[in-house]
Amino acid sequence: MNAQEKTNLIKNIESFENCMDELSPQDAELMLVAILTPLLGSEGYDVNYQGGIGDQGIDLLASKGETKVGIEYKHFKAKLGGDAIRNLVGAAVLNSFDKMILISKSGFSEHAKRLANVVDPISVELIDIDGLKHWTSKIEANYDESEVIHVIRSCTQKIIELITRSTKALSELEWRDLERVIAEVFSGIGFDVELTPSSKDGGKDVILECISKGTKKTFIIEIKHWRSGQKVGEKKVREFVKVLATQSSFVFSCRKVG
């Protein structure tokens, strides 16, 4: 489950909680399908809706290999008691389920909780709205690196727009942000761009490549973002020349404007 999917799941649970009293039982079941499918899917289960008339005691069936889990939702205003647990166990025995999950919008009586802990050989799990939230909180979202890169590029492009309107915006940038800006500018005019690591970059902040007259060209950019207004002196130029001595490249050396 990626970050956006987890965010959507949280929103679905909040929507379900806010409107459950106005929902019909069947509409509530359908909303739960949208919630439970990714929750159980994150644990490797395939989920199928079984609800409606003649549902044989379950609303959803979750399967993983030979393991079958039956899920039943009760849309009652009062807390569920022991009868709900006994009916659930009966459905499990008839259908040879390995586990049953009972979901209630109103919670469970103490008797129901005690009974769920002692039934055998079926495992019974009781879940209310807080239980759905807790289940979701335990899922670690898998962040898609491409999404992160897209966000960073979008932000960098906004910064470039600000700089085109006023170069004073440069003084507000951190050094890494300026490197991203330079990289994005050259990418925008057609170069293949590599932004080097923030540390141990070997004296190169950005590496550019392009094809010129059928020949591959490589350019190196080293950026000095000194807010003090200090100019690049001989020492830094010599250090940069030492970097070039190990490279067969054309070179750009850049410093902050102003």
Side-chain angles (χ1 to χ4, degrees):
M1 182 181 297
N2 62 37
Q4 186 58 55
E5 289 170 338
K6 184 171 181 178
T7 298
N8 292 340
L9 178 56
I10 292 170
K11 289 180 179 178
N12 285 340
I13 293 174
E14 290 175 347
S15 297
F16 181 63
E17 181 180 22
N18 292 333
C19 68
M20 64 170 62
D21 290 334
E22 286 75 41
L23 294 172
S24 68
Q26 190 167 13
D27 286 340
E29 288 177 8
L30 293 174
M31 286 195 72
L32 274 173
V33 171
I35 292 169
L36 294 172
T37 297
L39 276 174
L40 289 160
S42 70
E43 298 181 6
Y45 285 92
D46 293 322
V47 180
N48 292 290
Y49 180 53
Q50 308 286 311
I53 298 174
D55 62 12
Q56 298 182 339
I58 63 167
D59 297 316
L60 292 95
L61 175 62
S63 304
K64 182 168 65 173
E66 298 298 320
T67 302
K68 294 192 297 182
V69 180
I71 302 108
E72 175 73 356
Y73 170 69
K74 294 299 183 184
H75 194 63
F76 300 156
K77 293 182 179 180
K79 292 183 178 181
L80 298 184
D83 287 344
I85 306 301
R86 285 187 280 271
N87 291 337
L88 194 72
V89 172
V93 172
L94 288 173
N95 294 281
S96 300
F97 293 142
D98 301 284
K99 178 180 178 179
M100 296 295 286
I101 297 175
L102 182 59
I103 301 174
S104 168
K105 77 167 188 175
S106 304
F108 305 90
S109 69
E110 291 303 316
H111 176 58
K113 293 176 184 178
R114 289 194 298 269
L115 189 58
N117 287 328
V118 299
V119 292
D120 189 66
I122 304 299
S123 171
V124 175
E125 184 175 358
L126 306 181
I127 298 178
D128 56 13
I129 292 297
D130 288 336
L132 289 174
K133 293 177 181 178
H134 179 65
W135 189 355
T136 303
S137 70
K138 293 190 297 181
I139 296 175
E140 292 188 7
N142 298 316
Y143 289 91
D144 185 346
E145 185 179 358
S146 64
E147 292 182 21
V148 176
I149 292 172
H150 175 73
V151 170
I152 291 174
R153 290 197 65 182
S154 296
C155 292
T156 302
Q157 289 165 2
K158 292 292 185 182
I159 292 171
I160 292 171
E161 291 176 10
L162 289 174
I163 294 171
T164 59
R165 292 198 292 268
S166 174
T167 56
K168 292 181 180 179
L170 282 169
S171 62
E172 302 299 323
L173 294 180
E174 295 295 333
W175 62 271
R176 188 60 171 172
D177 293 326
L178 181 57
E179 290 176 3
R180 291 193 181 100
V181 164
I182 296 299
E184 185 65 27
V185 167
F186 279 97
S187 177
I189 60 176
F191 284 89
D192 292 327
V193 177
E194 177 189 347
L195 182 62
T196 61
S198 56
S199 61
K200 298 181 180 180
D201 60 11
K204 307 179 290 291
D205 293 323
V206 182
I207 300 173
L208 310 176
E209 290 184 348
C210 69
I211 302 297
S212 177
K213 297 181 180 179
T215 302
K216 181 179 177 180
K217 303 289 186 179
T218 302
F219 302 86
I220 296 173
I221 301 178
E222 173 71 1
I223 303 164
K224 297 303 178 187
H225 185 40
W226 293 336
R227 290 174 174 167
S228 64
Q230 178 183 355
K231 294 183 178 181
V232 175
E234 181 180 341
K235 180 181 177 181
K236 292 300 179 182
V237 173
R238 289 183 180 277
E239 290 174 354
F240 193 48
V241 170
K242 289 180 181 179
V243 173
L244 304 182
T246 63
Q247 304 288 326
S248 299
S249 312
F250 290 89
V251 178
F252 288 112
S253 180
C254 299
R255 66 182 179 88
K256 185 186 75 171
V257 177

